[in-house]
Amino acid sequence: MATTRALVITGNGTNCETEAAHACRLGGFDEAVIAHIAEILSGEIRLDDFQFLNLTGGFLDGDDLGSAKAQANRLKNAVVEGTGEKLVDQFTRFVNAGKLVLGVCNGFQLMVKMGMLPALDGNNLQQTVTLCHNDSGRFQDRWCYLKVDAASPCIFTKGIEKGIYLPVRHGEGKFLTDTLQTLERIETGHLATLKYSAAGYDSPAMEFPANPNGSTNAIAGLCDPTGRLFGLMPHPEAFVHYTQHPRWTREQLPEAGDGLILYKNAAEYARKNLL
Amino acid sequence: MANRIEVALKDDVRDSRGERIKREIEHFLHLVVNGVRTIDIYTVDAQLSREELEAAASGPFCDPVIQNWSIDLPLASGFDWAVEVGFRPGVTDNVGRTAREAVEYLTSRPFAAGEGVYAGVQYLFSGALSSEQVEKIATGLLCNTLIQRYSVMPAADFMAKRGFPTSVPKVDVGAYSNTPVREIDFEVPDEELLRISREGVLALTLEEMKIIQAHYRDPQVVAGRAAQGLGGKPTDVELECLAQTWSEHCKHKIFSGTVQYEDENGTKQEIKSLFKSYIQRVTKEVRQNMGDQDFCLSVFKDNAGVITFDDNNSLVFKVETHNSPSALDPYGGALTGIVGVNRDPFGTGQGARLIFNTDVFCFADPFYDKPLPSRLLHPRRIFEGVVEGVEHGGNKSGIPTVNGSLVFDERFAGKPLVFCGTAGMMPTKVNGIPGHEKSINPGDLIVMSGGRIGKDGIHGATFSSEELNENSPVTAVQIGDPITQKRMFDFLIRARDKGLYRFITDNGAGGLSSSIGEMAGECNGCRMDLAKAPLKYPGLDPWEILISEAQERMSLAVPPEKIDAFMEMAKRFGVEATVLGEFTDSGIFHIQYGEKTVAWLPMAFMHEGLPPMQIPARWQPPLNLEAPAQHKEDWTADLLSLLGQLNICSKESVVRRYDHEVQGGSVVKPFTGVANDGPSDAAVVRPVLDSFKGVVVSHGICPRYSDIDAYWMAANALDEALRNYVAVGGNPEHWAGLDNFCWCDPVLSEKTPDGPYKMAQLVRANQALLDLCVPINLPLISGKDSMKNDFYDGTTKISIPPTLLFSVIGTIPDIRNAVTMDFKRPGDIICLLGDTKDELGGSEYLAMQGYTGNKVPKVDITSALKRYKALHQAIMHGLVASCHDLSDGGLAVALAESAFSGGFGCRAELANVHFDGDQRYRTDETLLFSESASRLLVTVHPAQWSAFEEAMNGTGFSQIGQVTDSTTVTIAGLEGKTILQGSLEQLKEAWQRTLREL
């Protein structure tokens, strides 16, 4: 029987692989494999054998050239041993096969800087938006309310009613676009799936701390027009159980955390469409 | 020729880095600037074509959405002053290293030897600044001249000269000619021996120098050396190696010395080794008392302590200090502190996965405005640098920083204390062998893995064994590189599971001389060739290679049959690993440089050649001025000022900069309550995501009590850690302690005439640990001492207050039972556990008025244990809504904190507080602010009150009030009248204001 398989890439400063794999399993994937980038470059593990790719949070190469820049460069230029093919070709094949990619925090930064998002004209290798230093100039670990755009094509956020509550943990999360036109196309295409908001998820928030970084239009999460590629600065894998909520000792909360739905949706999509 | 690539933000993009610098200039230097912009500079010293340079600049170096780039052309415009900052030659340059790797990926061609990329930042200031003011900004804020260089240019010069010249901060090999191994003549007068020690930063005493002299006179030694082609004089390699091995830092001579202690009654006592007589004895007795319930697995012998966790995992914990380097370069020092302590649990047993960090800092007031001796950095710079260093070290390593504190006292201007802790999880068994055990067989290969060796960190161990002075060496400072270390850990943890090595340990203080020296002790010998060690740049002398403390290195023993698989895997993971020699059973620490023997030291002499130091100690209790008792109608203003004191106020601006949630296991976070901003007492972490068992970690620290009696300082630190631990739900039947002593030099000498008093303080702190730990089955599993925390420049001496950081680690059976400190519901009953006494001595309240007093809080550990065990059962049965420990500021502060964190007011009556002692001292003042130990503030739902009462029966508690549906904290005094009333908003604002802007 075919199984749903999630891949979590780690190495060179990636940090959240364990909890991301845990979230994949809780969400319903039959298998979640943590693979070091060395095991992918050596050809031991192939992207083709998975339906869901997780690019997780961390500090790839220490964010030394700007977040995820060095890894974007590595993925574009490194060659998979024994195949002659560049790693980026495996990525492109994965995306073109209709599979799912979720980038969280550093993973979102990587997707954006490789050009995988928003990929407005189907070009997955042309950067048009970015994530740069928070307006505060500081790393921040704090929880944020995220208003969902119900009209978004994003497959990960289906079924979320008003919004979700998740932690952000980053120094470079301010969302910017290259042109106003790009921003308009993102908005009209309902690609800005999640926006920072006040409690209650009524309207997008531009003020700190509700908007922790000063993102344009309060954009916290972005998908491509197919809805299968999704990136967000907040950490869904950090809230899959109620005891991870900062106020769980004083509020009545359901067993599952708000972030789990993203992984459930991914598992369900994979089972229905990718086996 | 080198090229300069510049990368600047586009004009319409906000420069948050520049804005932050601007704020700091205004805030700290009180200068007005109109604007600050920044440009990244990459100096590329490599053979690259123009196309390749352009591909690098436009590709990995530049974000095209927000940045522009140029090659050999300044981008700066519209400014008045430019300052460019880069590293000095040889200093770890992480950005430069990543930039170089990026270019190598791009060109598919490795750099040639000597080629490199060097990173820098250009700051552009607009505003009417004088040249002196720009210098002040450069040296006071932008750059630490110990490790960085800077140049300044006014705009007109900049335009005329077309920007800063290209300069390559390459280590100049010519300047460090590879001198052959020197021999040092020990047949010289005593003064000469002392000069050799002092000028070489060897930190060896005359007595120790004479022991070395005697060793080299021994005919057997002379004959053995002759057989190796060595002369009768010690080589520089040998001398440096002995100095590291015998340094206070590595050998703990004070803790293992023989102490002649005399108390205030003239009773004399000889103590042979404080470490053996107190610390080790605690653990030995506790383990005996626990019998088959003993949960200790590995104590004192390894890099960290190990206790049981569950059937499949064991729990590892270590806390270190990194004070001296942090005084010189706060950022690099603290960064190295955190990535350094990470290697301790990682190098324990066969290796552990790291699950959290803790950090505790002791600083002088960041708003300090009096003159400081030259060489001392301003406390605010230390604060900023240390916080940023730990932020980078922890966040980039993917290890959550879950617990810590900031302690302030003016004397920490002399040396800041930087405590960094790391816990890990290891499998109970690895390939059939207990995870906490390891061994070495003769014939196993010596392998060094991770970073390369440079001149960084040379003499770190010996320099931190002396007071900080004018001549403290700059090479002692290092900058850690969390990413290189993480790559190494990613590789080694997989190598562990494949069984590719037999023994692993950390390279920390003393470098290879220490790690290989200790490993060689496992099998009694080694042979190592220093010429095989990979270097950052050529030109290091053999002794420098041996003792360099260059970071991110682990030493391993690899069986010969596994070496090919080990090396192949290292290569695949992009981690450098080098075979340096092999372990033997020759009894000799045998070091070569190529074919030539450069050190030949009998293992027995290295490790046991040093007789115990003799240290006098005499205790005479000080008599401090007593503060006059105060009687007031209204204490609200006192509480508001107390809440704003540095030691009490909110540290949220700092703590939010640490990732405390990565790995997904944070259950009780640093902040809690209705607005996520109340101060948690301890951390609860869930290290295995499919189990509900949790780890609890807490700490206690109260240096000010040392001004009365270091015995009670230590007792209160321990009790505070226990209170914090049980407050969140920690199990008092499964807990372990870590002791980190930071003292001022306690050894009598010309420089330290009050040595006997300081040593007596140390003895008393140790006595407290023995007296308190044994009755409550609290084993000490690890710790560290740092004994030279003084500053002395010949005229000014600053000694830190004797400080014990006591950390407690243990477990909670089910994380879902954890409790936080915020009031939960109106109507809940407020209950104070424990008795309040007339103990304002050393309190935050007296300190605020400029007094120390004498009535220090005393700890009755037997009654405290009964209380903690009963409370734990109550918590496990869900009877406790909130629980908060009472410490700095006493009851008034605890009530205010629980109230504003929970968003509910309360009413409390001091008449109901149980007071123990002479009734004349039962006053509103004492009841509000006394810091009596072993007390906790608990709230209980009325429906659960009778069950709670039953659970706590016989442990001493009083019902003192109720949580209200209001926004006011109201306290009624002994006479029944309201003596304190504040709104939640007002109280929280007072608590948050002090450090909000930092």
Side-chain angles (χ1 to χ4, degrees):
Chain A
M1 196 182 86
T3 54
T4 51
R5 301 186 79 210
L7 177 67
V8 184
I9 297 185
T10 183
N12 296 314
T14 295
N15 290 332
C16 304
E17 62 271 16
T18 311
E19 59 268 38
H22 177 71
C24 290
R25 282 188 286 266
L26 273 188
F29 279 90
D30 297 316
E31 204 183 337
V33 173
I34 297 173
H36 194 279
I37 184 89
E39 295 167 311
I40 295 172
L41 286 173
S42 71
E44 270 176 276
I45 291 175
R46 298 178 339 131
L47 266 58
D48 304 301
D49 299 333
F50 298 84
Q51 299 96 20
F52 179 33
L53 173 61
N54 284 266
L55 302 168
T56 68
F59 282 83
L60 283 162
D61 302 277
D63 278 359
D64 284 339
L65 306 178
S67 59
K69 285 291 295 178
Q71 177 86 334
N73 179 61
R74 183 184 287 119
L75 295 185
K76 283 187 180 180
N77 292 293
V79 176
V80 178
E81 249 175 71
T83 62
E85 122 182 296
K86 286 195 171 174
L87 187 51
V88 69
D89 301 329
Q90 277 199 21
F91 269 77
T92 307
R93 191 160 67 237
F94 189 90
V95 170
N96 291 342
K99 294 177 175 180
L100 304 173
V101 183
L102 176 65
V104 173
C105 196
N106 205 208
F108 181 27
Q109 292 162 341
L110 176 63
M111 290 177 80
V112 156
K113 292 183 183 183
M114 286 186 72
M116 292 171 78
L117 287 173
L120 289 173
D121 300 305
N123 182 346
N124 291 112
L125 295 173
Q126 177 73 43
Q127 183 182 350
T128 55
V129 304
T130 197
L131 294 154
C132 65
H133 286 280
N134 299 348
D135 276 350
S136 68
R138 295 229 190 270
F139 182 97
Q140 285 288 304
D141 180 339
R142 60 174 67 247
W143 283 62
C144 291
Y145 295 92
L146 304 160
K147 175 181 163 59
V148 73
D149 181 349
S152 170
C154 180
I155 71 99
F156 295 89
T157 53
K158 296 284 177 225
I160 296 175
E161 282 184 19
K162 294 170 81 177
I164 50 178
Y165 186 50
L166 296 175
V168 296
R169 310 191 309 247
H170 61 251
E172 299 182 40
K174 180 180 180 177
F175 182 83
L176 291 176
T177 59
D178 57 352
T179 61
L180 271 178
Q181 199 204 4
T182 304
L183 183 62
E184 277 169 27
R185 292 182 66 191
I186 287 170
E187 292 288 13
T188 52
H190 296 281
L191 305 183
T193 312
L194 294 174
K195 293 189 171 184
Y196 300 110
S197 77
Y201 311 109
D202 288 330
S203 53
M206 288 307 295
E207 295 304 312
F208 183 88
N211 178 336
N213 47 38
S215 284
T216 306
N217 289 11
I219 293 174
L222 177 72
C223 67
D224 80 330
T226 72
R228 293 181 290 103
L229 311 186
F230 182 45
L232 70 167
M233 286 313 297
H235 287 267
E237 80 290 350
F239 187 31
V240 297
H241 188 257
Y242 74 95
T243 57
Q244 293 167 316
H245 189 287
R247 298 186 300 274
W248 71 270
T249 59
R250 56 185 296 128
E251 290 180 12
Q252 290 298 319
L253 299 166
E255 180 82 11
D258 286 5
L260 190 59
I261 192 161
L262 273 62
Y263 299 91
K264 282 188 166 163
N265 282 332
E268 195 183 314
Y269 184 92
R271 189 163 295 115
K272 281 191 182 153
N273 303 290
L274 300 172
L275 289 185
Chain B
M1 187 205 97
N3 300 91
R4 259 172 85 92
I5 296 178
E6 300 198 359
V7 179
L9 288 168
K10 293 178 181 172
D11 287 341
D12 56 344
V13 177
R14 193 170 161 180
D15 186 342
S16 56
R17 177 170 59 179
E19 287 174 18
R20 182 175 146 192
I21 297 288
K22 180 173 184 289
R23 279 197 304 275
E24 289 179 353
I25 291 172
E26 288 161 355
H27 200 87
F28 296 124
L29 303 180
H30 312 293
L31 295 173
V32 181
V33 283
N34 298 336
V36 184
R37 302 280 290 178
T38 61
I39 293 177
D40 288 312
I41 309 292
Y42 300 93
T43 304
V44 183
D45 183 23
Q47 288 297 325
L48 295 177
S49 68
R50 180 77 194 179
E51 291 69 35
E52 287 169 333
L53 282 170
E54 284 177 6
S58 62
F61 291 5
C62 170
D63 182 335
V65 176
I66 50 169
Q67 290 172 323
N68 295 317
W69 56 271
S70 75
I71 296 169
D72 297 326
L73 184 73
L75 289 174
S77 65
F79 63 94
D80 296 306
W81 289 92
V83 178
E84 200 164 291
V85 176
F87 287 111
R88 287 182 179 277
V91 175
T92 303
D93 176 356
N94 291 326
V95 176
R97 185 218 58 223
T98 303
R100 169 202 172 127
E101 282 177 9
V103 176
E104 289 174 329
Y105 271 113
L106 206 58
T107 59
S108 310
R109 191 172 78 234
F111 272 31
E115 291 187 331
V117 181
Y118 304 89
V121 180
Q122 196 178 87
Y123 300 88
L124 304 168
F125 299 95
S126 42
L129 293 163
S130 69
S131 138
E132 292 72 33
Q133 287 172 327
V134 178
E135 280 286 326
K136 191 172 168 189
I137 292 170
T139 57
L141 202 68
L142 303 178
C143 156
N144 182 346
T145 52
L146 264 186
I147 52 165
Q148 289 165 310
R149 64 212 158 91
Y150 71 98
S151 21
V152 176
M153 262 200 220
D157 278 19
F158 188 96
M159 295 310 163
K161 293 177 181 160
R162 298 181 62 79
F164 290 97
T166 305
S167 82
V168 180
K170 187 156 43 172
V171 175
D172 182 357
V173 180
Y176 303 96
S177 69
N178 197 344
T179 49
V181 173
R182 288 178 305 128
E183 292 186 340
I184 293 108
D185 190 357
F186 263 58
E187 296 304 330
V188 293
D190 290 358
E191 310 83 75
E192 187 59 16
L193 286 178
L194 274 174
R195 191 192 59 79
I196 293 170
S197 171
R198 194 175 53 245
E199 288 180 3
V201 200
L202 301 177
L204 292 168
T205 64
L206 180 61
E207 195 196 359
E208 289 159 352
M209 290 296 277
K210 295 192 81 134
I211 291 168
I212 296 173
Q213 188 184 52
H215 174 75
Y216 283 88
R217 285 176 182 168
D218 182 339
Q220 244 184 313
V221 171
V222 174
R225 295 175 63 78
Q228 294 296 325
L230 286 170
K233 297 173 190 167
T235 66
D236 53 5
V237 182
E238 291 170 328
L239 189 56
E240 292 283 353
C241 178
L242 287 172
Q244 304 310 308
T245 312
W246 291 1
S247 66
E248 174 55 41
H249 190 101
C250 295
K251 191 84 184 172
H252 310 287
K253 289 181 280 198
I254 294 172
F255 257 85
S256 55
T258 300
V259 186
Q260 306 297 338
Y261 176 70
E262 185 181 334
D263 70 12
E264 69 270 40
N265 305 316
T267 312
K268 292 180 182 169
Q269 184 189 359
E270 182 180 86
I271 304 157
K272 286 193 170 151
S273 171
L274 288 174
F275 181 61
K276 283 190 183 139
S277 309
Y278 295 104
I279 310 290
Q280 275 191 321
R281 184 169 152 205
V282 163
T283 307
K284 200 172 152 208
E285 292 192 10
V286 167
R287 294 186 74 176
Q288 273 167 4
N289 294 344
M290 287 194 294
D292 58 5
Q293 301 294 304
D294 177 19
F295 49 79
C296 297
L297 295 174
S298 173
V299 288
F300 301 126
K301 62 180 183 192
D302 210 330
N303 293 312
V306 189
I307 62 171
T308 58
F309 180 69
D310 62 17
D311 291 343
N312 302 316
N313 300 281
S314 308
L315 179 58
V316 190
F317 195 28
K318 172 64 174 264
V319 180
E320 265 281 11
T321 46
H322 218 239
N323 308 334
S324 302
S326 303
L328 294 182
D329 173 27
Y331 173 77
L335 175 56
T336 309
I338 199 78
V339 296
V341 76
N342 287 168
R343 290 193 301 273
D344 279 321
F346 195 91
T348 295
Q350 293 167 63
R353 166 175 76 85
L354 309 179
I355 58 169
F356 62 76
N357 290 331
T358 61
D359 58 67
V360 173
F361 309 138
C362 301
F363 296 142
D365 184 346
F367 308 106
Y368 190 84
D369 58 1
K370 283 170 265 176
L372 280 166
S374 66
R375 194 72 197 251
L376 285 184
L377 292 175
H378 191 275
R380 186 253 318 146
R381 282 196 83 182
I382 304 237
F383 182 111
E384 253 311 306
V386 166
V387 168
E388 190 164 320
V390 171
E391 172 189 332
H392 286 179
N395 295 358
K396 290 188 177 180
S397 303
I399 303 165
T401 302
V402 300
N403 184 246
S405 60
L406 283 166
V407 180
F408 295 92
D409 186 296
E410 231 167 65
R411 289 166 284 181
F412 292 121
K415 230 185 221 185
L417 304 184
V418 175
F419 298 92
C420 301
T422 303
M425 282 266 123
M426 59 169 54
T428 48
K429 289 246 165 93
V430 178
N431 301 311
I433 303 165
H436 57 277
E437 288 177 8
K438 54 187 167 186
S439 62
I440 297 179
N441 293 350
D444 285 353
L445 299 169
I446 299 174
V447 176
M448 185 184 97
S449 175
R452 295 182 149 228
I453 296 178
K455 288 190 180 250
D456 24 5
I458 282 179
H459 286 150
T462 51
F463 130 83
S464 60
S465 303
E466 296 182 325
E467 86 286 351
L468 194 60
N469 60 48
E470 286 283 333
N471 305 317
S472 299
V474 301
T475 51
V477 175
Q478 315 131 60
I479 295 183
D481 174 3
I483 298 306
T484 295
Q485 179 148 304
K486 187 155 172 66
R487 280 182 189 163
M488 173 175 72
F489 285 175
D490 282 346
F491 153 58
L492 287 175
I493 204 95
R494 288 167 173 83
R496 175 195 75 181
D497 294 339
K498 289 180 193 284
L500 296 183
Y501 58 79
R502 220 192 304 268
F503 195 105
I504 181 168
T505 199
D506 154 44
N507 268 296
L512 287 173
S513 82
S514 175
S515 68
I516 305 301
E518 281 170 28
M519 286 171 81
E522 295 283 319
C523 57
N524 200 30
C526 70
R527 188 206 59 84
M528 173 163 70
D529 180 2
L530 296 173
K532 291 211 164 76
L535 305 181
K536 289 183 180 177
Y537 34 83
L540 267 72
D541 291 343
W543 70 267
E544 292 176 309
I545 298 171
L546 186 64
I547 70 166
S548 162
E549 295 177 11
Q551 292 290 299
E552 293 84 40
R553 294 181 293 148
M554 301 296 286
S555 289
L556 302 111
V558 179
E561 67 274 16
K562 300 279 174 66
I563 191 68
D564 290 345
F566 183 92
M567 299 302 276
E568 190 278 325
M569 190 173 175
K571 182 160 178 275
R572 208 149 45 83
F573 277 75
V575 177
E576 194 156 21
T578 315
V579 177
L580 299 179
E582 67 280 328
F583 293 98
T584 65
D585 53 6
S586 66
I588 303 293
F589 186 71
H590 183 182
I591 305 300
Q592 293 172 298
Y593 189 74
E595 292 297 303
K596 189 174 158 46
T597 291
V598 294
W600 191 84
L601 289 166
M603 296 292 300
F605 179 63
M606 255 177 95
H607 291 300
E608 281 128 49
L610 202 59
M613 197 190 269
Q614 299 289 326
I615 314 168
R618 199 164 49 252
W619 173 241
Q620 190 59 50
L623 191 61
N624 301 307
L625 205 59
E626 206 55 73
Q630 300 202 54
H631 302 277
K632 293 188 191 178
E633 301 278 308
D634 186 356
W635 296 90
T636 312
D638 298 77
L639 174 59
L640 290 170
S641 343
L642 257 184
L643 287 168
Q645 292 296 300
L646 283 168
N647 283 325
I648 293 177
C649 72
S650 172
K651 315 297 187 296
E652 187 169 355
S653 60
V654 172
V655 178
R656 292 263 172 233
R657 292 168 61 181
Y658 302 140
D659 187 334
H660 49 262
E661 301 183 272
V662 63
Q663 301 192 10
S666 83
V667 173
V668 173
K669 304 179 200 291
F671 291 101
T672 185
V674 65
N676 300 347
D677 58 6
S680 289
D681 287 328
V684 178
V685 175
R686 182 190 188 189
V688 182
L689 293 176
D690 44 22
S691 153
F692 285 111
K693 187 153 187 174
V695 176
V696 180
V697 66
S698 69
H699 70 273
I701 183 167
C702 35
R704 205 179 309 106
Y705 294 152
S706 287
D707 293 335
I708 303 175
D709 187 345
Y711 182 96
W712 295 113
M713 179 279 291
N716 278 289
L718 184 149
D719 186 65
E720 185 185 9
L722 299 180
R723 308 196 283 274
N724 283 323
Y725 174 86
V726 294
V728 297
N731 177 5
E733 316 256 354
H734 190 243
W735 57 13
L738 282 82
D739 54 286
N740 284 78
F741 288 86
C742 281
W743 235 250
C744 36
D745 186 358
V747 180
L748 175 64
S749 72
E750 234 169 83
K751 278 190 264 184
T752 314
D754 55 350
Y757 176 73
K758 290 170 171 169
M759 191 64 201
Q761 290 182 303
L762 184 64
V763 170
R764 294 181 64 76
N766 275 276
Q767 286 172 336
L769 291 187
L770 181 64
D771 293 347
L772 271 72
C773 291
V774 175
I776 63 169
N777 280 348
L778 178 71
L780 298 173
I781 56 165
S782 177
K784 199 69 187 276
D785 58 281
S786 163
M787 305 303 293
K788 307 274 172 157
N789 294 293
D790 311 83
F791 171 82
Y792 187 56
D793 63 2
T795 50
T796 308
K797 178 159 184 173
I798 308 174
S799 294
I800 65 147
T803 303
L804 171 69
L805 169 69
F806 199 88
S807 309
V808 168
I809 191 162
T811 54
I812 179 170
D814 189 327
I815 54 155
R816 292 168 292 188
N817 288 325
V819 168
T820 54
M821 51 70 68
D822 45 316
F823 286 163
K824 300 296 190 298
R825 277 174 304 262
D828 280 1
I829 294 163
I830 303 174
C831 176
L832 178 61
L833 311 186
D835 295 341
T836 303
K837 298 173 191 160
D838 173 29
E839 294 179 323
L840 282 170
S843 67
E844 200 57 49
Y845 169 75
L846 285 196
M848 191 167 73
Q849 303 168 33
Y851 288 95
T852 302
N854 300 288
K855 296 172 182 172
V856 67
K858 297 189 173 159
V859 181
D860 173 356
I861 201 65
T862 318
S863 73
L865 178 66
K866 206 171 152 197
R867 178 173 311 124
Y868 298 159
K869 284 189 170 173
L871 174 65
H872 180 66
Q873 287 312 316
I875 288 177
M876 289 304 110
H877 288 100
L879 304 178
V880 173
S882 78
C883 185
H884 190 23
D885 110 289
L886 269 69
S887 53
D888 304 52
L891 175 61
V893 165
L895 273 171
E897 286 178 344
S898 289
F900 63 63
S901 303
F904 297 111
C906 66
R907 276 196 60 82
E909 291 175 32
L910 295 183
N912 292 344
V913 172
H914 192 271
F915 180 84
D916 181 25
D918 188 332
Q919 292 299 305
R920 279 177 304 171
Y921 299 113
R922 180 170 173 259
T923 63
D924 291 341
E925 186 184 33
T926 309
L927 295 171
L928 286 171
F929 304 120
S930 167
E931 296 178 5
S932 293
S934 314
R935 295 180 304 159
L936 294 134
L937 190 72
V938 166
T939 57
V940 180
H941 193 271
Q944 285 168 324
W945 178 250
S946 63
F948 178 79
E949 256 187 326
E950 195 178 326
M952 298 304 295
N953 187 27
T955 63
F957 62 95
S958 37
Q959 192 177 332
I960 63 163
Q962 206 162 32
V963 180
T964 57
D965 198 5
S966 74
T967 53
T968 314
V969 172
T970 307
I971 302 179
L974 287 168
E975 290 172 8
K977 285 184 283 191
T978 296
I979 55 156
L980 193 155
Q981 192 159 41
S983 73
L984 297 180
E985 196 186 351
Q986 182 187 17
L987 294 165
K988 191 191 259 190
E989 174 61 20
W991 180 70
Q992 290 185 331
R993 195 174 42 217
T994 312
L995 289 178
R996 185 183 281 145
E997 298 301 325
L998 276 180

